[in-house]
Amino acid sequence: MDDAERRARLVVRHRLVPHTRTDDVVAVADDLVALHSTDPVTVYLSAAARMHTPTLEAVSAALYDDRTLLRHHAMRRTLWVFGHRHAALAHHAATVDVAAVQRRDLMTQLGAAGIADPPAWFDDAARSVLALLTERGPTTAREIGTALPELSGTAVQIGPGSYPAHTRVLLILGFEGRVLRARPTGTWINGQYRWAAAGNWLPGGLGEPVDRRTAAAGLARAYLRAFGPATRDDLRWWAGWTVATTKAALADVGAVPVSLDGGGTGRLLPDDVDPVDDPGPSVALLPGLDPTTMGWKARDWYLGPEAAALLFDRNGNGGPAIWVDGRIAGSWVQRPDGTIATRLCSRGTAAGTDSGTAPGADPGPAVLAGIDAAAQRIRELLGDVRFSVRYPAPVQKELLGR
């Protein structure tokens, strides 16, 4: 499978082509497996970029009113937003392992803090927190600490910092799926959330336990449907799995090997090997840490060296990206006055739009118009809201004129 076909699959599967857009935000999340939520802005802008009629209210309603989307730590100990089915798969295929490590670490920290029986102390603390949340409903960590001074008065040492024990209890309960993040304490761009008992926030919580191997196969199937063909290393990196877990999951879904441009072997689902039709042109402005930007470990087939230098920080976090026909063509940023400034590869900076679909390429008027239209959609969506990118692209200072 050549890179052109991979990009054609990407723009359709990830709803970057205009005719694939939908106002069903759960469908958007499911088609990408999940939306990155390390930066709360990503969730809204990732969904909006793929909607016919983007609104912030539709995303908030799915998260906090209908509760058809859930926020949960999972792959690579990253915070994500999932539809229910993928949340359950990710929890049992990835989060349970993270939870075990975090619980073990907390037991060590509690012992170092002078707690004689850390497991018993934690069980009592968990019961107190869950009882409080069941009685009060969604509650902030600060309010929980005030209501349970016997927990907040105990400090645990983590590296150079000291933390009230109730915040660590909440973290472990979150990893274990016994509490879930509810509405933020401020506006939609705020990353501090209230906590809710899982069963109260969503009847049944994350659902019945699923065998880890079965869950891993389900998660691998969802990933390949969205991101295939992907290499074994792509899946292992994305899921945060060991090589053994990755191999087993690929075998369990009957993944079919395909040769990729530039060497290497990708995997596809056995019912997903047919060539795809030409999807037509596409332009999208995606936020930092968007699932499309962050979906593969090996990115050369959609990311040239100049785009990589402009967009990704030294830890591999991708900033806001301009996507043209299935490849990253540049970056963008919201300026303090609300305008959206863009910068494309091999070209200069502009207050409005300056374009190039690939290094040295002439983007043409259709691409420039598409970028202008996408930027205007974001500006109208945000209105008076101003936000800072959690992981800014290296080119951001240039775009901001600093």
Side-chain angles (χ1 to χ4, degrees), residues 69-398:
L69 292 176
L70 303 175
R71 185 174 274 108
H72 190 48
H73 270 111
M75 298 80 73
R76 306 192 311 278
R77 199 187 165 190
T78 296
L79 194 60
W80 304 81
V81 163
F82 298 93
H84 293 182
R85 183 170 64 89
H86 289 167
L89 290 174
H91 178 73
H92 296 291
T95 316
V96 290
D97 290 340
V98 177
V101 172
Q102 294 296 314
R103 177 186 270 261
R104 185 169 62 246
D105 289 347
L106 180 59
M107 296 306 106
T108 300
Q109 294 153 5
L110 290 171
I115 303 297
D117 188 347
W121 185 96
F122 177 83
D123 289 343
D124 287 342
R127 279 192 291 270
S128 297
V129 169
L130 291 170
L132 179 70
L133 293 177
T134 299
E135 176 186 353
R136 293 191 178 185
T139 307
T140 67
R142 182 184 296 275
E143 291 166 343
I144 292 169
T146 300
L148 301 174
E150 67 276 16
L151 303 186
S152 58
T154 300
V156 293
Q157 194 74 23
I158 303 175
S162 180
Y163 299 84
H166 76 285
T167 63
R168 310 311 295 176
V169 172
L170 281 167
L171 183 67
I172 303 304
L173 291 176
F175 280 121
E176 293 179 346
R178 298 161 71 184
V179 300
L180 294 171
R181 288 164 177 80
R183 289 184 185 273
T185 57
T187 68
W188 63 274
I189 67 173
N190 191 302
Q192 297 296 317
Y193 303 98
R194 295 175 176 85
W195 294 92
N200 287 5
W201 185 251
L202 183 72
L206 292 173
E208 296 297 321
V210 179
D211 170 77
R212 184 178 184 277
R213 183 161 180 170
T214 300
L219 189 62
R221 186 176 294 107
Y223 173 79
L224 290 180
R225 184 75 64 191
F227 295 91
T231 68
R232 188 178 69 189
D233 281 348
D234 287 332
L235 173 58
R236 182 177 63 84
W237 170 81
W238 179 88
W241 286 338
T242 64
V243 171
T245 298
T246 307
K247 285 183 175 179
L250 289 171
D252 288 344
V253 301
V256 176
V258 293
S259 297
L260 302 176
D261 270 2
T265 301
R267 268 78 174 181
L268 287 170
L269 294 175
D271 63 350
D272 191 29
V273 296
D274 293 335
V276 298
D277 295 331
D278 181 355
S282 64
V283 175
L285 268 60
L286 302 183
L289 301 180
D290 185 86
T292 302
T293 303
M294 300 297 295
W296 296 265
K297 183 179 181 182
R299 300 165 177 154
D300 290 349
W301 59 278
Y302 65 88
L303 180 70
E306 184 182 1
L310 292 175
L311 197 79
F312 285 83
D313 67 20
R314 64 183 61 188
N315 295 318
N317 298 304
I322 300 171
W323 281 79
V324 177
D325 298 337
R327 77 170 81 224
I328 292 178
S331 187
W332 64 274
V333 71
Q334 183 195 48
R335 287 180 169 170
D337 64 359
T339 58
I340 304 300
T342 62
R343 160 74 151 83
L344 298 200
C345 300
S346 296
R347 297 174 69 89
T349 306
T353 300
D354 193 9
S355 302
T357 58
D362 180 1
V367 169
L368 293 174
I371 293 172
D372 280 337
Q376 183 61 26
R377 277 164 56 97
I378 293 175
R379 185 169 185 177
E380 291 174 357
L381 178 76
L382 294 174
D384 294 334
V385 174
R386 302 290 181 267
F387 73 94
S388 298
V389 180
R390 185 74 59 90
Y391 294 99
V395 75
Q396 179 168 306
K397 287 184 179 180
E398 176 188 331

